[in-house]
Every structure is written in C-alpha cells, then in structure tokens.
C-alpha cells in the first residue's frame, strides 16, 4: 500500500520577512504536519485491520478446511464480507480563511495579464492562485470554487472574458482572438448564454434598495450621482468603497446594515466604471476623469 503525502510548504524566500509572514508560514507548517499525521494514522489503522482480517481468515481456514490452499485463504480475506468494516477514514481538514475578494481579484488579474493572448483553464488558474497565497494543495478544491466565483463576477465588470464554448477557459481580453469575436452568436455555448442572461437580470436590481436612507443620495437623486459627486469633491484623491460609504454616511453605520450598504456602494462603483461614469485606477480604487471636472 503506497501512501503519498504532499510536500510541506516552503519557507519565505525573501531576505527580509516580517514576523507576521513568518508566523503565517509556521501555522501552515503545523497544519501540514497535523494533516500528514492524520493520514498516516488512517493508513496504519487500515493496515492493522487488514492484518487482523487476514490472520482470522487463515486460522479459520486451517481449522475448518485443512486441505485449503494458501491462495484460497487469501481470497477469503479479500472477500468484501470480511473487509466491509475497513473503510477510508474521511479527511477532516482544519478550516482555512482565504484572502479577501479584492486580494484574490487582483491576483487573478495579474495572472491573466502576464498570460495575455493565452487561454487559461480554471484548474490552472486555481493552482496559480493557491501557490501565490501559499495554500496547501489539500485545500485546492476550496480555492478552485472561490476562484471560479470571482471569475464569473469579474466578467460582469469587464475585468476579463470567458472563452465562448469553453466554460472553464478564461482570457484577459477576447479581442486577442478575432475568430472568437466573429463567431455567430448561435454557436456560443448554452452555459455561457444562461450565465449572461442571469447576469443581465441581476443588473436590473437597483443598488439603492440595499441602502438605508441617505441625504447625499436624495440630493443627487441616484446612487450613481452621489458617487460621482463624492469622487469629484475629493479629486485628485482616489477612493475605495469604504471611503465613499463614509462620505455618504458620516454618522457611521454598523452591523449587517453597514455590510449591505458597503456591498451596494462597491457594486455601484464597479457598474459606474463599466459605464464610463468614472475610471478605475486599480482594483477597488476609483477617481473621476479630469474632463469630468469641467
């Protein structure tokens, strides 16, 4: 029986590391060795059970069937009825907290940018992201699910593109593939069509419905108008969703109300950028274009 365990995480390579980074590395190392010990313990239990079952079968065979061959005894030990209790012990992984959505979005965009002009599969992207955030391979399914979710959300805001007819393939810009852009709409995959219809339907919901009463929005009639006024007022400073939210609600929101309001403002910033109301300086950071100040 062969037991294969992933190699342990690598220590930080930079010459100057903060204590926080070193602490993060040692926590990963502890988690790794705990998991390796759990796997080894599971395999040992299986081997012990097989030895016990084989010994019992051999004794029974020699007592009841003195003429039975060793081969018959081994076959009897491999009988499912005798080994039904020997099952794989489920692996219970310790919970792991992935980086924030903004951090993962930036990492994904960096990977796609460095591979501009190429189509990257979801599996490859997830492995690259996992390596950059130093996540153990045992957690790869969790990383892949989160990366897939962010890829679909990012496509709605024009950060990258899904490849038509290839739901798990992504690229930075479809303009790099003229043949795909010129393909008749009928040839695109059903999955892509359904997701885009769902995305279009979701966009129709107005962010203001998730916001508590706000004087700033009332003054400018819409959330878009209020955000633009905020960015114009603070130009040339760049702003993120937290800063815009603080400008709209100087009295400070709290709890679930603040979380919902933040998400609404963040979505509003993303959508307004895609509609050219303002511009994105980097992931999650915005400002108005100079011509908007005239």
């Amino acid at each position: 029986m062969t037991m294969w365990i992933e190699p342990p995480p690598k220590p930080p390579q930079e010459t100057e590391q903060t204590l926080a980074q070193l602490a993060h590395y040692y926590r990963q190392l502890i988690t790794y060795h705990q998991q390796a010990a759990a796997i080894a313990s599971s395999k040992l239990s299986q081997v012990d059970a097989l030895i016990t079952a084989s010994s019992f079968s051999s004794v029974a065979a020699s007592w009841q069937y003195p003429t039975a061959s060793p081969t018959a005894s081994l076959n009897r030990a491999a009988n499912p009825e005798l080994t039904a209790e020997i099952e794989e012990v489920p692996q219970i992984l310790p919970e792991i907290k992935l980086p924030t959505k903004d951090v993962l979005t930036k990492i994904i965009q960096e990977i796609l940018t460095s591979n501009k002009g190429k189509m990257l599969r979801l599996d490859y992207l997830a492995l690259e992201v996992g390596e950059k955030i130093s996540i153990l391979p045992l957690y790869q399914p969790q990383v892949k699910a989160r990366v897939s979710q962010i890829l679909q959300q990012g496509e709605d805001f024009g950060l990258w593109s899904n490849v038509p007819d290839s739901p798990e393939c992504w690229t930075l810009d479809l303009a790099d593939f003229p043949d795909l852009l010129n393909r008749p709409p009928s040839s695109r995959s059903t999955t892509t069509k359904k997701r885009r219809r769902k995305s279009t339907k979701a966009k129709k919901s107005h962010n203001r419905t998730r916001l508590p009463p706000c004087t700033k929005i009332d003054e400018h009639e819409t959330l878009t108008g209020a955000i633009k006024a905020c960015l114009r007022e603070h130009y040339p400073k760049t702003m993120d969703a937290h800063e815009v939210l603080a400008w709209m609600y100087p009295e400070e929101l709290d709890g679930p109300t603040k979380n919902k309001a933040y998400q609404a403002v963040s979505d509003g910033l993303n959508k307004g950028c895609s509609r050219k109301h303002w511009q994105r300086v980097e992931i999650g950071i915005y400002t108005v274009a100079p011509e908007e100040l005239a």
Side-chain angles (χ1 to χ4, degrees):
M1 179 180 296
T2 302
M3 181 176 69
W4 182 81
I5 301 176
E6 295 283 352
K10 297 179 180 180
Q13 299 298 315
E14 299 294 333
T15 56
E16 296 182 2
Q17 293 292 333
T18 65
L19 291 177
Q21 289 175 308
L22 289 173
H24 176 68
Y25 162 69
Y26 286 122
R27 289 192 190 98
Q28 284 188 309
L29 198 61
I30 290 172
T31 301
Y32 168 81
H33 285 297
Q34 288 175 339
Q35 183 61 34
I39 294 174
S41 177
S42 168
K43 298 299 182 183
L44 177 61
S45 297
Q46 293 179 47
V47 172
D48 285 341
L50 286 170
I51 292 173
T52 302
S54 179
S55 300
F56 173 80
S57 178
S58 298
V59 171
S62 62
W63 179 264
Q64 298 178 13
Y65 308 99
T67 59
S69 67
T71 303
S73 177
L74 289 174
N75 289 340
R76 193 172 295 111
N79 190 303
E81 293 180 0
L82 294 177
T83 59
E85 295 182 1
I86 305 173
E87 299 178 352
E88 183 73 20
V89 176
Q91 298 181 7
I92 303 176
L93 295 175
E95 291 187 8
I96 187 169
K97 185 177 181 180
L98 295 176
T100 63
K101 176 184 173 182
D102 288 345
V103 171
L104 291 176
T105 299
K106 187 173 183 179
I107 292 174
I108 293 171
Q109 193 165 45
E110 288 174 352
I111 295 172
L112 289 172
T113 300
S114 64
N115 288 277
K116 182 172 168 54
K118 299 179 182 179
M119 300 180 189
L120 304 182
R121 290 191 59 82
L122 172 60
D123 288 331
Y124 174 81
L125 281 166
L127 286 171
E128 286 289 295
V129 171
E131 183 176 342
K132 287 182 179 295
I133 61 177
S134 301
I135 294 296
L136 295 175
L138 293 168
Y139 294 97
Q140 197 57 39
Q142 183 178 341
V143 175
K144 180 179 177 180
R146 185 62 174 139
V147 168
S148 177
Q149 182 185 45
I150 293 176
L151 283 168
Q152 293 179 25
Q153 293 173 351
E155 184 185 25
D156 294 339
F157 301 120
L159 299 181
W160 43 68
S161 297
N162 177 241
V163 179
D165 298 326
S166 301
E168 292 203 341
C169 268
W170 299 83
T171 187
L172 184 66
D173 190 350
L174 271 183
D176 294 328
F177 306 94
D179 292 343
L180 293 177
L181 288 176
N182 297 330
R183 186 178 299 178
S186 59
S187 66
R188 295 183 179 177
S189 68
T190 303
T191 303
T192 303
K193 289 179 181 178
K194 286 182 178 179
R195 189 170 69 248
R196 288 184 177 175
R197 282 200 298 268
K198 182 178 179 181
S199 172
T200 302
K201 183 178 180 181
K203 285 183 178 181
K204 292 180 180 179
S205 63
H206 200 289
N207 285 323
R208 189 172 178 180
T209 60
R210 288 184 285 169
L211 289 165
C214 177
T215 304
K216 298 288 187 182
I217 295 179
D218 292 340
E219 289 175 359
H220 301 281
E221 297 184 354
T222 64
L223 175 60
T224 299
I227 292 176
K228 182 178 287 188
C230 176
L231 295 176
R232 287 168 63 100
E233 181 179 318
H234 292 85
Y235 184 85
K237 176 186 175 183
T238 57
M239 303 187 74
D240 59 18
H242 287 290
E243 293 170 314
V244 174
L245 186 65
W247 175 83
M248 293 171 61
Y249 297 94
E251 66 278 11
E252 182 69 23
L253 301 172
D254 57 3
T257 301
K258 182 177 181 178
N259 293 335
K260 290 181 180 180
Y262 168 79
Q263 191 59 54
V265 171
S266 179
D267 291 347
L269 282 164
N270 277 318
K271 292 178 182 179
C273 181
S274 64
R275 294 169 185 169
K276 310 300 182 184
H277 292 307
W278 43 78
Q279 59 188 16
R280 182 185 290 108
V281 179
E282 57 182 281
I283 299 297
I285 307 296
Y286 303 87
T287 187
V288 290
E291 55 268 22
E292 289 287 336
L293 299 172

